[in-house]
Amino acid sequence: INLSEIGIEETIVIQGSETEKLIIHLEKIINCYHWKLYNYTLPDGSNKFVNVPCMSSLRMLQVGLFGGQRIQHAQWLDAYTFDLYEPLPPTPSQKWCSLLVNTDKSGDEHISSIPASVFEALLDERKFQLETYALPYVPVHYENDENNTTYDKIHPLFRSFKRASGLPFSDTTYSKAWIKVLQGIQEEFNKIVPEERKHLFVYQDDKGAFLAHHVPHSLRASWITHQKLYGHLDYTTIGRQVSHKRPSTSSYYVKMEHKYMENAISISDD
């Protein structure tokens, strides 16, 4: 999508040290949205047929990258309960919010922490679903399994407008969006790094289809690795955040480069 053609300017600023920062001016972005031509309700109460680039899959992926949650946790968040412990919009100074994850492999719900900016994106999703898309919710069974009595019926926050059943966007749908996101990252990343650091985040199979080297679940590993190696978060806290019962499970997710390991051992030895 050529941003200048639609009057949008976008700049990414990545702050390094106090004196170093990287500025990336985006002239175009990958079309990784789900589009829906529909008679949407506008803020003034009127209705208008318009094509909207929906953010649902991208918001699901954010919950994985910035909160370490399984994407399936985000996929099955309930529109009416995810903010049960954080009912008000975040204040400007607030950095983290409480997220009620209503489904889990253990069969129990749990509370996790999510950055305030991501929490606001979830509030935006609910506003879109309830006020703009504005179709009444049809509560559904988890995984569309009527025999699953582990959870009550769910009103999926990320309800898909492609499925009349009221179910959330499917694994395939957000996986395709994930590949598109990586294509965009790859293009911008390889513009700014030295030749020896250029990297392929996606590749083409023998039929020409684009595939990702890492599946969306790797976002969970990225969060755990980052918090452990650079934030020095203990495994007990990590486990509670990502719903791991044993520290060894969280430890398995940590991906350590050899240079980092050498440096850590050197510091320990000193």
Side-chain angles (χ1 to χ4, degrees), residues 222-240:
S222 294
W223 189 90
I224 294 172
T225 297
H226 187 82
Q227 296 295 342
K228 182 58 184 173
L229 298 188
Y230 306 109
H232 307 289
L233 203 61
D234 63 89
Y235 281 126
T236 299
T237 306
I238 289 174
R240 294 196 178 194

Side-chain angles (χ1 to χ4, degrees), residues 139-151 153:
V140 296
H141 290 280
Y142 177 69
E143 296 286 12
N144 201 26
D145 181 7
E146 294 184 3
N147 298 317
N148 189 327
T149 59
T150 306
Y151 309 108
K153 281 191 174 182

Side-chain angles (χ1 to χ4, degrees), residues 56-64 67 69-85 97-104 108-115 118-126 129-130 137-143 151-160 166-169 174 241:
S56 301
S57 284
L58 303 182
R59 288 169 177 157
M60 275 197 275
L61 294 169
Q62 277 187 297
V63 175
Q69 302 301 308
R70 300 178 180 94
I71 307 302
Q72 195 175 37
H73 287 170
Q75 186 182 25
W76 287 96
L77 287 175
D78 190 286
Y80 296 113
T81 65
F82 76 86
D83 63 337
L84 187 64
Y85 296 96
C97 296
S98 298
L99 177 71
L100 176 61
V101 177
N102 51 292
T103 60
D104 189 84
D108 299 320
E109 61 185 31
H110 69 271
I111 304 172
S112 289
S113 295
I114 203 79
V118 179
F119 189 80
E120 287 181 333
L122 301 184
L123 294 175
D124 287 341
E125 180 70 22
R126 179 166 64 188
Q129 291 281 0
L130 295 179
Y137 260 107
V138 179
V140 296
H141 290 280
Y142 177 69
E143 296 286 12
Y151 309 108
D152 294 331
K153 281 191 174 182
I154 298 167
H155 307 82
L157 173 64
F158 295 105
R159 172 180 54 175
S160 171
L167 292 168
F169 281 96
Y174 70 70
Q241 167 74 2

Side-chain angles (χ1 to χ4, degrees), residues 252-270:
Y252 175 79
Y253 273 76
V254 175
K255 308 302 177 186
M256 187 183 298
E257 292 184 1
H258 186 70
K259 286 184 178 179
Y260 181 95
M261 186 172 70
E262 278 188 345
N263 185 58
I265 292 174
S266 175
I267 292 172
S268 174
D269 187 56
D270 290 341

